[in-house]
Amino acid sequence: MKEFENKTALVSGAASGIGYLICREYVAAGGNAVLCDIQPEDLQKAVDEINEIRAGAAIGVICDVRDYAQVCHARDEAVRAFGSIDLLVPCAGGAETRVLKVDGKTEFPDVPIEVYDWGLDVNLRGQLYFDHAVLAQMREQKSGVIVHIGSITGEEGCSHNIAYSASKSAAMYGMTRSVAQYGAKYGIRCVCVSPGPVLTRAAMANMRTMLDRAAEPREIVDFILYVASEKGAFINGTNLMIDGGRAAMRRKQYGDK
């Protein structure tokens, strides 16, 4: 029996990057995957690729994580297709000024506030929406695992992407603990995984770590799936850094290449 046989993962931001890899590896380990993304063509391509592993194991749902009705629709489609949601990873997110292509030299007070609204809506509100919607299903099942995605930026801060930093730090950790407290009586765990630099973008190679490299995406995915598995069943209500030691580096060593 494979690790996730007869189980289902619901993942946002799943048309590419870490979200896509989580779904692919979950299906390879015997599970089903519901991929949510706002990009229809990329989403369909990702679903088709994963279904080559096992036909019918993956479906795609177009979803803007800022719209609660669309989030609920994604939940309902997952249950309709596969009968349960055993793992939720609200993975959609990104640094607002990079995603919205704001000049890196523009200072915080000069960035349009709508940029930071987007950052908070996608990185924080989107995860809260998925938690709220999916917990109704997990409560009925009396089981489930929620893995939030934090970031080393939440530990370090960032003078430019302030909404991203805020969302990926105390706000995310507090939501993780709170959801874990609520879910405990229903057999539901909630954990935050906070990666350091990951080679989903070439620029990440420029961020220093004690290991003198950025993580391969598969390293982050393997860790998330360990947390979601029975092997990680005693992990709950905490933030787990997987950053190559970046957060522990001495300040005088610190700084990008």
Side-chain angles (χ1 to χ4, degrees), residues 17 75 110 229:
R75 174 203 61 199
D110 303 317
S229 75

Side-chain angles (χ1 to χ4, degrees), residues 200-237:
T200 48
R201 293 189 297 117
M204 293 294 96
N206 295 325
M207 292 180 67
R208 292 184 60 204
T209 70
M210 284 185 180
L211 302 181
D212 289 326
R213 67 174 179 87
E216 294 293 337
R218 178 63 183 267
E219 292 178 287
I220 307 302
V221 171
D222 285 348
F223 186 62
I224 290 170
L225 294 183
Y226 173 84
V227 169
S229 75
E230 287 303 310
K231 294 176 182 177
F234 202 59
I235 305 171
N236 196 23

Side-chain angles (χ1 to χ4, degrees), residues 4-254:
F4 299 114
E5 192 168 357
N6 299 320
K7 293 187 176 182
T8 301
L10 174 60
V11 182
S12 69
S16 61
I18 295 294
Y20 166 74
L21 290 174
I22 291 169
C23 293
R24 191 182 74 184
E25 295 306 312
Y26 199 86
V27 167
N32 305 306
V34 180
L35 288 71
C36 301
D37 205 280
I38 200 170
Q39 303 292 343
E41 292 182 4
D42 293 342
L43 178 61
Q44 188 58 55
K45 180 174 182 290
V47 169
D48 291 344
E49 289 175 354
I50 291 174
N51 277 327
E52 291 178 6
I53 299 172
R54 193 172 75 258
I59 64 169
V61 181
I62 298 170
C63 181
D64 183 339
V65 302
R66 299 169 296 175
D67 185 329
Y68 184 67
Q70 292 188 39
V71 171
C72 289
H73 173 68
R75 174 203 61 199
D76 294 343
E77 287 297 292
V79 176
R80 181 193 61 78
F82 299 117
S84 67
I85 301 172
D86 303 284
L87 171 63
L88 168 65
V89 187
C91 202
E96 60 271 11
T97 62
R98 176 180 61 81
V99 174
L100 299 182
K101 303 186 187 316
V102 176
D103 189 319
K105 296 180 180 178
T106 307
E107 295 190 355
F108 170 53
D110 303 317
V111 175
I113 196 62
E114 292 79 11
V115 173
Y116 294 114
D117 285 340
W118 184 94
L120 291 170
D121 285 346
V122 172
N123 292 298
L124 184 58
R125 191 186 302 272
Q127 300 210 39
L128 177 64
Y129 278 2
F130 266 97
D131 287 359
H132 187 270
V134 172
L135 275 166
Q137 172 64 27
M138 289 183 171
R139 179 179 60 186
E140 184 176 328
Q141 298 169 186
K142 292 186 169 50
S143 65
V145 179
I146 297 172
V147 178
H148 293 148
I149 304 299
S151 171
I152 184 64
T153 306
E155 293 289 315
E156 297 177 343
C158 176
S159 62
H160 204 44
N161 291 300
I162 291 176
Y164 182 77
S165 301
S167 300
K168 297 295 186 179
S169 60
M172 188 61 60
Y173 309 157
M175 186 160 66
T176 298
R177 295 185 188 100
S178 299
V179 170
Q181 289 173 15
Y182 169 75
K185 63 183 176 181
Y186 297 109
I188 301 164
R189 293 189 292 120
C190 184
V191 178
C192 183
V193 171
S194 293
V198 186
L199 291 173
T200 48
R201 293 189 297 117
M204 293 294 96
N206 295 325
M207 292 180 67
R208 292 184 60 204
T209 70
M210 284 185 180
L211 302 181
D212 289 326
R213 67 174 179 87
E216 294 293 337
R218 178 63 183 267
E219 292 178 287
I220 307 302
V221 171
D222 285 348
F223 186 62
I224 290 170
L225 294 183
Y226 173 84
V227 169
S229 75
E230 287 303 310
K231 294 176 182 177
F234 202 59
I235 305 171
N236 196 23
T238 191
N239 177 52
L240 303 172
M241 300 291 297
I242 176 169
D243 67 344
R246 181 174 170 93
M249 293 173 72
R250 290 184 294 146
R251 293 303 275 183
K252 70 176 183 179
Q253 292 180 311
Y254 218 68

